[in-house]
């Protein structure tokens, strides 16, 4: 995929996006087949592995990849498939569930900051500090003035990370309301998956429109050139993975990362 | 492989092992071929993935897997190959390099403890608290009375982890002196790998016998039924991976982990 093709998934800072108008079924316009996509994925997987290896060797950049999306939008699956071939030593996935009592007694960025990547590290956030606007707002957990000022705090925080050498990529997995219904029903129909279901998943679904409204705000107000949001059409899993992988490989390639110089000249040395 | 076959790699508590007498080339007695081994690996990889998924769902046990071995013994490669198919969200690899100034200003277990697994987590230590005996002793970084008492502290620490629900498996990757020479020479012969070489790797090699002596002590004094050491013949990479995978799959299967019960009866629910 060309830069121009991928660029359209990026939320341009200052622009106005509306999730209601974005097609979660875009795969239907894809000219290839699922088989072609999976073939391409294999090669993207390998390239991402190479890029991570180089980043790890170079040890001068930090990479942070954020995944957000509704329940059943496929965050776990996307992370698994996109990073399938990356060395497990090289990538760390941080999950941010409901905050613990101790976490709640700190500011909302406290637990997030602790998981931020160091030089040479690639960290993936499965949910993130954005929940501290989203859930908080939709479920009315705190007054508006609290979550409202967090937009600024998040932008400032990410700017600081960027200024200190962190490259940030944020993915919103966009599924349709009908697709979520289908996936939740699938879980219900499969008794082996019942242990995974939380009764709250159904309640959250009733708030769909409020979530979309909140996501619209997040996407419109926190996308920056140095920490862009990408909206990924995610009704088809293989298409979702293909787009994310293409974006990451393209963006990380642009960083022109390199292995460091050897510490000395080792040529001709005979190990005894 | 049968339990009995795998049992021989375990250092029986109270027994006396001597690395000088253990064959790092055991693969030569293997009745299968490399191809058969790789085929078996694929199925072991899948089973390990299943076991991790169940552990993660069950959320009542902590799993800690420790890798130790000389330079070039293949710790990185083994971790990569053995955990290749495990969900990157499900496994965290902690590397313990030379301690930072802040880490050094704490007790030696301080930085280790922070990376210990929680319920449902699988954590891999690439090097570990054992370095605080091994390197310290071989390089004479601290007086004998300091590293000597650490044997007890480590055993006590691991016992505490076990009593609190942590299952511990420790792998020593056993290569021969000649194999290490060959691997280091290979790195020297490949200019693309020079950035990875540390001149100290060659100095460490001069201390080979002192390292073996120290490892012998560690293996003999810190293997317990509840935190056993396994000595893995590691001159051939595919054989090393095959043995480790077999042991892990066998041991984790014994834990009889199960997905939790559903929170309620979801049968017949229609998602709207």
């Amino acid at each position: 995929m060309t830069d121009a093709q991928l660029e359209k998934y990026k939320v341009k800072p200052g622009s106005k996006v509306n999730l209601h108008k974005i097609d979660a079924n875009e795969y239907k316009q894809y000219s290839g087949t699922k088989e072609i996509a999976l073939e391409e994925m294999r090669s993207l997987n390998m390239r991402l592995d190479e890029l991570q290896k180089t980043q790890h060797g170079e040890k001068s950049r930090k990479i942070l990849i954020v995944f957000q999306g509704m329940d059943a939008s496929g965050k776990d699956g996307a992370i698994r498939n996109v990073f399938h071939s990356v060395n497990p030593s090289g990538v760390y996935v941080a999950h941010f569930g409901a905050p613990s009592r101790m976490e709640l007694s700190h500011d909302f960025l406290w637990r997030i900051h602790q998981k931020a990547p160091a030089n040479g590290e690639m960290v993936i956030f499965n949910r993130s500090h954005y929940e501290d606007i989203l859930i908080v707002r939709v479920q009315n957990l705190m007054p508006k003035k609290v979550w409202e000022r967090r937009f600024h705090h998040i932008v400032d925080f990410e700017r600081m990370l960027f200024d200190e050498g962190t490259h940030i990529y944020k993915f919103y997995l966009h599924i349709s309301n009908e697709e979520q219904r289908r996936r939740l029903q699938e879980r219900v129909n499969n008794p082996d998956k019942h242990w995974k279901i939380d009764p709250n998943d159904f309640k959250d679904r009733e708030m769909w429109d409020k979530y979309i409204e909140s996501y619209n705000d997040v996407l419109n107000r926190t996308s920056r050139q140095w920490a862009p949001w990408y909206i990924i059409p995610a009704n088809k899993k293989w298409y979702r993975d293909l787009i994310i992988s293409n974006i990451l490989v393209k963006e990380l390639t642009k960083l022109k990362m390199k292995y460091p110089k050897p510490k000395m000249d080792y040529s001709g040395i005979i190990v005894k």
Side-chain angles (χ1 to χ4, degrees), chain A residues 115-175:
Chain A
K115 304 287 185 179
N119 282 336
E121 288 183 359
M122 186 178 280
V123 172
I124 297 165
F125 282 1
N126 187 339
R127 303 186 184 268
S128 67
H129 40 306
Y130 286 99
E131 296 289 342
D132 296 296
I133 292 179
L134 293 159
I135 293 187
V136 165
R137 175 175 176 181
V138 171
Q139 302 192 355
N140 235 325
L141 302 176
M142 288 179 190
K144 178 172 180 190
K145 70 168 188 187
V146 173
W147 56 256
E148 177 62 41
R149 63 197 179 202
R150 287 184 177 175
F151 283 100
H152 299 287
H153 294 316
I154 285 178
V155 170
D156 290 346
F157 172 66
E158 292 182 355
R159 177 72 206 195
M160 183 281 292
L161 293 181
F162 171 75
D163 283 343
E164 297 283 325
T166 314
H167 300 274
I168 305 174
Y169 310 94
K170 302 180 292 198
F171 295 97
Y172 172 71
L173 306 190
H174 181 48
I175 55 169

Side-chain angles (χ1 to χ4, degrees), chain A residues 9 102 140 148 211 218 224 268:
Chain A
Y9 301 105
M102 183 172 145
N140 235 325
E148 177 62 41
Y211 268 111
V218 160
R224 294 293 183 277

